């Protein structure tokens, strides 16, 4: 049974006041952070990666892998409703853009060259994500 996601729709001014300049550029204006510069690229902790803008859960650490592309990569979102897909024809290429399904924040792109588990590589800007560490029991 699918649960309906409650959408978040806010004006541009709302996001400008709450996000850093870089977060706004990437998340709200479909920018890209420089490769190999993101704070979450080499994160190996267990937890959940959520949307910077609305904190909706997007990816689990168990789905993260090192693709060598310069951005955090995942083989699948946390569930089928977490991200939405749009055709991106920018930069002379045909790509599939991924956005947060809750607030429409730009996350990155998905490519069909991922690991055998799904065959997909969700290439995501670190600035689009907040990492929530899951403490191990007994810690």
């Amino acid at each position: 049974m699918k649960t309906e996601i409650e959408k978040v729709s806010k004006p541009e001014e709302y996001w400008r006041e709450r996000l850093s300049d870089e977060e706004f550029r990437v998340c709200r204006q479909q920018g890209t952070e420089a490769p190999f510069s993101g704070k979450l690229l080499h994160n190996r902790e267990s937890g959940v990666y959520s949307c910077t803008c609305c904190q909706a859960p997007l990816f689990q650490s168990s789905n993260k892998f090192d693709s060598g592309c310069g951005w955090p990569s995942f083989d699948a979102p946390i569930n089928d409703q977490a991200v939405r897909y749009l055709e991106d024809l920018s930069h002379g290429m045909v790509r599939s853009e991924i956005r947060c399904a809750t607030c429409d924040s730009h996350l990155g792109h998905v490519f069909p060259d991922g690991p055998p588990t799904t065959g997909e590589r969700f290439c995501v800007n670190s600035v689009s994500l907040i990492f929530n560490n899951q403490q191990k029991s007994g810690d």
Side-chain angles (χ1 to χ4, degrees):
M1 177 171 133
K2 284 191 171 184
T3 313
E4 197 64 30
I5 290 179
E6 188 172 330
K7 305 282 185 191
V8 172
S9 180
K10 303 285 184 187
E12 183 174 326
E13 300 79 38
Y14 174 89
W15 298 118
R16 278 201 186 274
E17 291 173 5
R18 285 162 180 76
L19 302 172
S20 71
D21 290 344
E22 178 73 349
E23 289 169 343
F24 185 81
R25 185 184 71 77
V26 172
C27 297
R28 308 316 303 177
Q29 297 180 318
Q30 290 71 50
T32 302
E33 66 192 5
F36 300 100
S37 69
K39 65 187 181 302
L40 297 174
L41 177 61
H42 299 295
N43 183 35
R44 302 284 183 247
E45 296 180 50
S46 293
V48 174
Y49 294 84
S50 299
C51 178
T52 292
C53 296
C54 71
Q55 289 77 50
L58 298 170
F59 301 96
Q60 294 184 61
S61 57
S62 58
N63 291 100
K64 190 171 187 276
F65 69 99
D66 184 3
S67 69
C69 72
W71 293 274
S73 297
F74 303 86
D75 66 355
I78 199 164
N79 63 52
D80 291 342
Q81 298 176 331
V83 300
R84 70 183 200 99
Y85 305 83
L86 294 124
E87 184 178 57
D88 180 358
L89 303 176
S90 65
H91 306 291
M93 298 179 271
V94 178
R95 299 180 291 172
S96 185
E97 178 188 358
I98 51 172
R99 292 191 186 185
C100 172
T102 302
C103 73
D104 209 35
S105 176
H106 172 73
L107 303 172
H109 293 85
V110 62
F111 301 95
D113 61 359
T117 48
T118 64
E120 294 184 311
R121 173 174 53 97
F122 290 78
C123 187
V124 184
N125 292 287
S126 282
V127 74
S128 298
L129 300 172
I130 295 170
F131 179 71
N132 298 299
N133 191 320
Q134 292 178 337
Q135 295 290 332
K136 295 178 182 155
S137 57
D139 285 353

